[in-house]
Amino acid sequence: MAKANQKIILNPAENIPFDLLDLSQKNVRQIVNGVSIPNLADDIAYRGMIESLNIRPKKNENGEETGRYEVPAGGRRYRALELLVRQKRMAKNQPVPCVVNRSERTSMEDDSLAENVHRENLHPLDQYRAFKILSDQGKDVEEIAARYFVSTHTVKQRLKLATVSPKLLDLYEQEEISLDQLQAFSVSDDHARQEQVWERISSNPHMQESYYIRRLLTETTVRADDRRAVYVGAEAYEAAGGVILRDLFEQDSGGWFQDAALLEQLVFEKLKVDAEAVRNDGWKWVEAAISFPYGHTSGMRRIYAEPEEMSADEIARHDAVKAEYDALDAKYAEMEDADQEIEDKLDQLGTELDGFNDRPFVYDPAQKAIAGTFITLAANGKLQVEAGFIRAEDEPRVETGDDEEAGEGEDLDTSFGDEDEDDEHAVVVNGQPLGRTTESAEEPEDDGIRPLPDRLIVDLTAQKTLSLRNALASDVDTAFVAVLHALVLQVFYRHAKNSCLEITQTSNSFGQVQGLAETPWAKEIAERHEAWDKEMPDSPNLWGFLLGLDEASRKALFAHCASLSLNAVVEPWNKRPGAIAHADALAATIQFDMVAAGWEPTVDNYLGRVTKARIVQAVREGRGEDSAQLIDHMKKDLMAREAARLLEGSNWLPEPLRLESDDAIAASDTAVEEAVSDEADIGDDAAELPAFLAEDADPSVDEPVAVADDTADHLQAAE
């Protein structure tokens, strides 16, 4: 007959008055963590006991139960109940649900350890879903945070995670994606897009970084710190129905504006209003855009605002205050002791004088009537107004009597005197019609003094020109000013033709290059140009202005004007090898290189615009082979980003930006002769040396030690 299995008997549950319970010192939990005792007490007061205490009867020396109990497991719950009793929120004899263990099979330490070891913490995903259920049941974020003693931000994070695609949540539950990745997916609320991104990156472990997931989910959005988003503002964008994606787990600088088309529409609508307000200020025209290409003001003359003139009453008051201030200041200078009253009066008068001097700047209304303004957005999203530009067609024309006659369609008189109708078909020889009196012939007195013939004027002024050229060649300083005068006229007075020097300056604006206006070099050139432009007088007075400059200022202005004509651009249809070589020689002369100028390879300016092979080559050259192998398996967009990070501080430059050293330029003139000579010398020496020494003599063989040192330097920099 088969023996029946013995049935398990569980420990009975009883309600024991709290004042009969004592906390055991045999609880294995000695380090307190998790929810604090006061928070646990508040939770018990709210929902009651949801977990019983584990207790054992106390026994006397004879092994008999004394009627009191020890609590070896559940010490934190016991302390929470004890706190409620002290706060008089619970009676001291309140029955407490307990599981009474009278078994001798285990000890109290064993029970305490088992309770803690066999307990499994709640899976984070279960907590996220539970918070979501509570939210769906009508509890707001603040109530949930207060109930579970966490911050509202934590609750928002949990609720955000719970809204990720169920497919991705299942993968997280199966530990196929990490919490960091799940947090990255929560940036977008579009489940289809989340799953699409996961499908794209799931097969490549190197593309599963959280930052890359965020980038893919926001690649069609506009960052909140973008100039367009700052200009419109989050409030106006959301009021128009736009949605802003937020990252609750990382610093997102305000999130991402999801609807780029809506944002662009709002930008142009606001720009239109701002442009109309500027135009109503008296400008002839206003052009508004998010950004303008570099050199968009080329060919336009710039006017500047001047301090507002003072009225007659203001001038009189200014003179009176100035006189009073000077007299009081002179008197105070002669006094031996300080006088607070006089000092206060001087401060008062000085403040009033400052008010006269700090006049608002205004434009001449007559100039505003023919000038215009460009409105764009600065990098910080603020409205940027560039005012005072006059187009060529709006320049005022200075008309003379001769111009008026020519404008009426009459030909200028180029004859050699009065002509009769019979002379219409006269034969002309050497510029003179036959049968006419020559210039030396006596003319009737009643005809008066006739104008000089054009031909004679040409001959005379040609002689003057050559003589003046010869004289100018011996006066270097004046020649320098003359060339500077011609350059300044073309740079700052686009339509003035007031120079006798036939020097033409060409300045390419390269407006087709995106983002060129935002570079530090473009901004520095613009600031320098504007500073000089404000100093320029009217074009007829320019010569005297240049003569009045000190030598250092004159040279600085010359360098500025000359620099604007420099062109080192290599174009596929116009490579200009001689000009490019000259640009490199010029750069070497002034010890220029792009690294010192602040250029570094980025995704936008180089790495994102070349092939993967080029990217790997750049990293190999800048950081060594080991660094190149770190990225050679990546997809292009991730590879470009990682390459930009690796190349930071490497001083690497692409070929078009590299310059030959002074030694290389000097050596290039005799490269062929030296190569032939060296080859002959090496051949002779090699014949007298052992084989292994002869190989070392070959300059074409790289030195392994130097290469190894260079590679080590790159690896250390990469690390």
Side-chain angles (χ1 to χ4, degrees):
M1 181 176 178
K3 183 178 179 181
N5 291 331
Q6 185 177 0
K7 301 299 184 182
I8 296 174
I9 301 176
L10 302 178
N11 296 325
E14 301 180 23
N15 288 330
I16 307 297
F18 180 75
D19 56 357
L20 297 180
L21 302 175
D22 297 315
L23 183 62
S24 174
Q25 299 304 313
K26 297 182 179 181
N27 192 320
V28 297
R29 186 188 291 275
Q30 300 295 322
I31 301 174
V32 178
N33 55 21
V35 181
S36 66
I37 299 300
N39 290 346
L40 182 56
D42 290 339
D43 189 70
I44 292 175
Y46 172 72
R47 72 181 76 255
M49 291 283 289
I50 58 175
E51 188 175 357
S52 301
L53 297 179
N54 187 294
I55 66 174
R56 281 179 178 258
K58 277 190 174 183
K59 297 180 179 180
N60 59 20
E61 297 176 354
N62 298 325
E64 299 172 347
E65 294 186 7
T66 61
R68 298 193 64 83
Y69 299 87
E70 284 188 279
V71 183
R76 296 178 64 255
R77 279 163 281 156
Y78 176 87
R79 292 187 183 278
L81 294 172
E82 187 179 43
L83 178 59
L84 292 174
V85 172
R86 287 202 307 268
Q87 294 175 345
K88 301 187 181 304
R89 300 167 66 187
M90 187 182 83
K92 63 181 180 179
N93 59 353
Q94 171 70 35
V96 178
C98 301
V99 174
V100 183
N101 188 354
R102 291 183 170 85
S103 173
E104 298 294 338
R105 182 182 301 177
T106 58
S107 65
M108 286 189 285
E109 292 86 352
D110 193 2
D111 291 346
S112 176
L113 180 61
E115 182 190 52
N116 289 283
V117 170
H118 296 321
R119 179 176 57 190
E120 185 174 355
N121 290 331
L122 187 68
H123 192 281
L125 184 56
D126 291 330
Q127 185 190 42
Y128 310 155
R129 288 169 171 163
F131 277 3
K132 180 66 168 59
I133 292 173
L134 293 177
S135 176
D136 294 340
Q137 290 175 352
K139 292 183 174 59
D140 57 24
V141 171
E142 289 74 14
E143 184 178 358
I144 297 174
R147 186 63 55 215
Y148 293 96
F149 310 106
V150 294
S151 66
T152 56
H153 183 68
T154 299
V155 176
K156 290 178 181 179
Q157 288 181 330
R158 302 299 186 263
L159 293 175
K160 188 70 172 175
L161 289 173
T163 61
V164 175
S165 165
K167 178 180 178 180
L168 298 178
L169 291 177
D170 291 340
L171 293 175
Y172 173 60
E173 183 178 354
Q174 299 164 14
E175 298 184 354
E176 293 187 24
I177 64 175
S178 66
L179 178 59
D180 286 342
Q181 292 171 321
L182 190 67
Q183 291 173 348
F185 279 113
S186 70
V187 167
S188 172
D189 293 331
D190 187 345
H191 289 181
R193 178 59 178 160
Q194 292 172 358
E195 294 171 7
Q196 181 184 22
V197 169
W198 174 249
E199 289 295 330
R200 177 175 175 181
I201 68 175
S202 58
S203 59
N204 191 339
H206 301 285
M207 298 175 59
Q208 296 177 14
E209 295 291 339
S210 57
Y211 79 86
Y212 187 62
I213 294 173
R214 288 185 175 89
R215 177 185 172 189
L216 292 179
L217 288 170
T218 59
E219 61 185 356
T220 59
T221 64
V222 179
R223 291 193 63 88
D225 55 4
D226 184 272
R227 70 176 78 184
R228 295 166 292 173
V230 174
Y231 177 62
V232 171
E235 185 176 346
Y237 171 76
E238 290 180 316
V243 176
I244 299 179
L245 302 179
R246 298 304 305 268
D247 191 343
L248 298 177
F249 303 94
E250 297 286 344
Q251 293 292 331
D252 61 7
S253 301
W256 296 267
F257 286 44
Q258 190 171 7
D259 194 337
L262 174 62
L263 179 61
E264 291 271 348
Q265 177 185 343
L266 295 176
V267 168
F268 288 124
E269 289 176 355
K270 188 174 182 181
L271 274 176
K272 184 178 180 181
V273 174
D274 289 336
E276 187 64 24
V278 173
R279 194 186 67 80
N280 290 337
D281 194 33
W283 298 102
K284 180 177 182 180
W285 53 265
V286 174
E287 284 191 20
I290 295 175
S291 63
F292 288 103
Y294 179 72
H296 63 284
T297 60
S298 179
M300 301 184 191
R301 180 167 62 92
R302 183 83 181 268
I303 61 173
Y304 296 94
E306 299 291 341
E308 187 179 30
E309 295 184 1
M310 292 189 291
S311 64
D313 293 339
E314 288 175 326
I315 294 175
R317 176 58 184 167
H318 174 271
D319 294 342
V321 172
K322 186 69 168 59
E324 184 179 0
Y325 181 90
D326 292 341
L328 190 59
D329 185 48
K331 176 182 176 181
Y332 189 54
E334 298 176 356
M335 297 175 61
E336 296 181 358
D337 299 328
D339 190 322
Q340 187 62 43
E341 183 178 351
I342 295 180
E343 290 181 0
D344 293 341
K345 183 63 176 177
L346 286 172
D347 288 341
Q348 177 186 345
L349 295 174
T351 302
E352 190 171 356
L353 286 175
D354 290 340
F356 284 113
N357 295 329
D358 296 337
R359 308 290 296 173
F361 282 75
V362 296
Y363 288 91
D364 183 352
Q367 290 184 319
K368 288 177 68 174
I370 61 173
T373 299
F374 292 98
I375 295 180
T376 184
L377 302 183
N380 61 359
K382 302 295 183 181
L383 193 67
Q384 182 173 299
V385 179
E386 296 178 295
F389 292 93
I390 301 178
R391 293 167 171 161
E393 59 269 24
D394 294 329
E395 288 284 1
R397 289 184 173 274
V398 180
E399 297 182 350
T400 63
D402 294 340
D403 292 338
E404 291 175 0
E405 292 176 3
E408 293 173 2
E410 298 181 6
D411 295 333
L412 295 178
D413 184 12
T414 58
S415 66
F416 293 88
D418 295 334
E419 297 184 4
D420 297 329
E421 293 180 0
D422 296 338
D423 295 330
E424 287 181 359
H425 304 287
V427 179
V428 179
V429 178
N430 196 25
Q432 296 288 345
L434 295 181
R436 286 189 167 273
T437 58
T438 63
E439 298 165 9
S440 58
E442 229 179 83
E443 298 174 355
E445 295 183 2
D446 57 350
D447 288 341
I449 300 177
R450 298 181 181 181
L452 291 176
D454 291 347
R455 182 66 181 179
L456 177 59
I457 294 175
V458 170
D459 292 346
L460 292 175
T461 52
Q463 298 176 50
K464 175 184 176 181
T465 297
L466 289 182
S467 178
L468 191 55
R469 283 181 180 179
N470 186 49
L472 184 62
S474 62
D475 191 332
V476 177
D477 292 337
T478 304
F480 177 86
V481 176
V483 174
L484 176 59
H485 178 261
L487 293 178
V488 171
L489 281 172
Q490 296 177 63
V491 171
F492 294 95
Y493 307 86
R494 297 286 182 177
H495 311 285
K497 306 296 182 183
N498 299 335
S499 174
C500 63
L501 271 62
E502 295 179 335
I503 294 177
T504 302
Q505 185 203 48
T506 302
S507 181
N508 197 324
S509 64
F510 313 115
Q512 72 278 9
V513 181
Q514 294 295 325
L516 191 60
E518 302 298 328
T519 62
W521 318 296
K523 293 178 181 178
E524 191 170 340
I525 291 173
E527 291 172 0
R528 182 170 59 247
H529 187 86
E530 183 173 335
W532 276 115
D533 198 8
K534 290 180 178 178
E535 298 294 325
M536 291 296 151
D538 295 336
S539 58
N541 301 322
L542 178 61
W543 181 256
F545 169 78
L546 296 178
L547 290 176
L549 289 176
D550 59 83
E551 184 178 2
S553 299
R554 199 178 294 151
K555 288 182 177 179
L557 179 57
F558 183 89
H560 173 68
C561 294
S563 68
L564 296 181
S565 65
L566 191 150
N567 186 355
V569 175
V570 178
E571 299 167 320
W573 58 87
N574 186 22
K575 295 184 181 298
R576 306 182 303 134
I580 301 306
H582 176 237
D584 286 348
L586 186 153
T589 303
I590 62 176
Q591 298 180 345
F592 168 86
D593 70 86
M594 288 298 290
V595 172
W599 191 92
E600 280 194 345
T602 66
V603 175
D604 293 332
N605 68 14
Y606 182 78
L607 298 170
R609 303 170 63 181
V610 297
T611 62
K612 292 176 62 176
R614 283 280 186 180
I615 299 174
V616 174
Q617 179 190 23
V619 175
R620 182 180 294 112
E621 293 176 354
R623 291 301 187 191
E625 182 61 34
D626 288 350
S627 296
Q629 291 178 3
L630 294 175
I631 66 170
D632 59 4
H633 61 279
M634 297 180 178
K635 290 193 175 181
K636 182 180 176 180
D637 48 2
L638 181 58
M639 177 188 289
R641 178 187 289 270
E642 286 300 304
R645 182 182 64 82
L646 289 171
L647 290 173
E648 287 181 1
S650 67
N651 295 344
W652 179 86
L653 292 172
E655 294 91 334
L657 298 185
R658 298 175 189 172
L659 302 171
E660 296 181 358
S661 65
D662 293 337
D663 294 339
I665 294 175
S668 63
D669 296 335
T670 57
V672 176
E673 293 83 352
E674 290 180 354
V676 173
S677 176
D678 290 345
E679 185 176 346
D681 294 341
I682 291 170
D684 294 339
D685 293 340
E688 301 175 1
L689 294 174
F692 69 94
L693 291 179
E695 291 176 358
D696 290 342
D698 186 356
S700 65
V701 179
D702 295 334
E703 297 181 17
V705 175
V707 173
D709 290 343
D710 184 63
T711 303
D713 291 341
H714 288 319
L715 291 177
Q716 291 174 1
E719 293 174 357

